[in-house]
Amino acid sequence: MSDLPRKAVTRTAKLAALPFGFAGRATWGLGKRLGGRSAELVAREVQQRTADQLFKTLGELKGGAMKLGQALSVFESALPEEVAGPYRAALTKLQEAAPPMPVRTVHGVLEEALGTGWRDLFLSFDDQPAAAASIGQVHRGVWLDGRDVAVKVQYPGAGEALLSDLTQLSRFARLLGPLVPGVDIKPLIKEMRDRVSEELDYALEARAQEEHAAEFADDPDVVVPGVVLHSDRVLVTEWMDGIPLSEVIERGTPEQRDRAGQLLARFLFSGPARTGLLHADPHPGNFRLLPPVGEPVEKWAGERGSAGKPGSAGTPHGTSAGASPEEGALAPSPRDVTGPDDSREWRLGVLDFGTVDRLPGGLPDIIGETLRMTLRGEAETVYATLRRAGFVPESVDLDPEAVLGYLLPVIEPARGEEFTFSRSWLRTQAARIADPRSPAHQLGRQLNLPPSYLLIHRVTLSTIGVLCQLGATVRLREELDAWLPGFLSPDEVYGGDDADGRDDGDGPENEGSPTDSPGEPGGHTDSLPLAKEESGESGGSGESGEGKVRRARATEEV
């Protein structure tokens, strides 16, 4: 398939066939078991076939179908290890193999958006796409002034396809649930539908990217490409070389993983404080690890990082791979070449600002305040705060100590000076929440997620999924000290000595209560580990001095 399938009947038929395929494989599996094959082997084969069909269909259709696949890709870390492989491979294939638009279609969009003389704007333009995305694809070119640029071209009919796909997918969202234990897929699809118009408006995306590029222009850690030109359906930005985060996940060194994780956490919390915007599409394809200034990216990319191929160094969009850290590192390691401290000079490149949440004052204070009080074990205060903010419905009466026990396991990353994220940790959290017999599952169903927190929750949860894919050791509390409103008490912000009440890892014991993340607005919260508070609260530890200064300065600027 070489173009975006636009006929509603064609797209609907392909998506509608998925549930029947699931049911057919379940029947096939039952037959195999009756024939004497072990349940474990049959289940694994059914999962493999399901993953292959699902993500092949989502990738071919692009639009909302592919977008859902990309959103699910960051949650593969939550799958039990024995079944993670098939899904990981299928998700990676989805990212890598989206069929391109025909050249004539690309040229038609460019002519309509930029005029019949569009070629005069470029010294060169590559007709072969460098990468494909859910509603468009990216081409490499050289602008008239000699700058390398990325040209994002929207698929014709993308809007109709996006809405049609998401409507159809929502009808059998429950059948997709087993793909990612603990994730409530229906509200995820609803939130995507609500933001369709923003996603399709490249002018809005350009403004969001321009704001980030201006704010981070001199930042030593985060790089955002500048915007060159935009229309409603074409966006031209500066080209950014770098190692896609998917490759760091697949075969990065420990230093690269840790640095990428630290900077990803920093961008999650500092972005809203500095720009009033939350980048809301944190899958690995939208991030690059950039070597120290002056170092060519090819030096670090290794044999599998040939420039110009989607998912490799030198492309504007990568893939969401997730192989094990042991598979062979990108060569050479920062420490092999530049010494033990220079890994801190690596930078994070950020792409794709098509979906953002507008937070003029930064992340809501209640997130940091609730996290701080939870770490201190202040059960009654935490419960009262959550009730006032609408997380505990008026009709529900819960035990404050039970709520505290529900929150503590998922905020473990905030309890010490650093935390190593891992697939096993995320699987543990997901398993606790997904089990209907779990007390945490029962409690989570009684909590509520106010609509204004839905996107914050999804972004935080997705970022934690990527951190677990990286296996990064992150000083998360350092970022909270610096950027999360409400996490430092007023005494700490303004120089008092109130830090002795903060938990340094020796606070209330994690009693093993499962945790939950919020569900749909006005509904229960039996989705993945991060409870709504965590939707902005994954913690870290850190430097009070410099962190407080950065936070205070950011607050004043906003």
Side-chain angles (χ1 to χ4, degrees), residues 195-212 227 230-232 235 277 353-356 358:
R195 292 183 175 269
V196 164
S197 60
E198 290 184 29
E199 184 84 10
L200 294 169
D201 190 340
Y202 281 2
L204 272 180
E205 178 175 350
R207 284 200 292 274
Q209 184 161 338
E210 285 170 339
E211 290 183 44
H212 279 85
V227 175
H230 70 82
S231 71
D232 290 343
L235 176 61
L277 299 170
F353 293 83
T355 306
V356 298
R358 285 160 180 80

Side-chain angles (χ1 to χ4, degrees), residues 379-431:
E380 295 288 346
T381 310
V382 168
Y383 183 69
T385 302
L386 294 179
R387 183 178 285 283
R388 280 197 307 273
F391 290 103
V392 180
E394 289 295 331
S395 59
V396 171
D397 188 21
L398 300 173
D399 177 8
E401 291 293 340
V403 173
L404 187 70
Y406 167 85
L407 296 176
L408 283 171
V410 291
I411 65 169
E412 184 182 358
R415 295 179 64 180
E417 290 196 358
E418 63 181 27
F419 182 80
T420 300
F421 290 87
S422 66
R423 287 185 166 91
S424 61
W425 176 78
L426 190 58
R427 282 197 298 270
T428 299
Q429 303 305 320

Side-chain angles (χ1 to χ4, degrees), residues 298-317:
E298 292 81 5
K299 175 179 178 180
W300 306 94
E303 293 179 0
R304 293 161 62 189
S306 56
K309 295 172 64 180
S312 65
T315 65
H317 290 276

Side-chain angles (χ1 to χ4, degrees), residues 25 28 40-53 55 79-80 82-84 86-87 90 178-179:
R25 276 184 295 282
W28 174 86
E40 181 180 358
L41 289 175
V42 170
R44 191 170 301 176
E45 192 167 348
V46 168
Q47 286 159 343
Q48 174 70 70
R49 293 182 179 211
T50 299
D52 285 345
Q53 184 207 4
F55 295 113
L79 293 167
E82 64 270 16
V83 300
Y87 293 108
L179 290 172

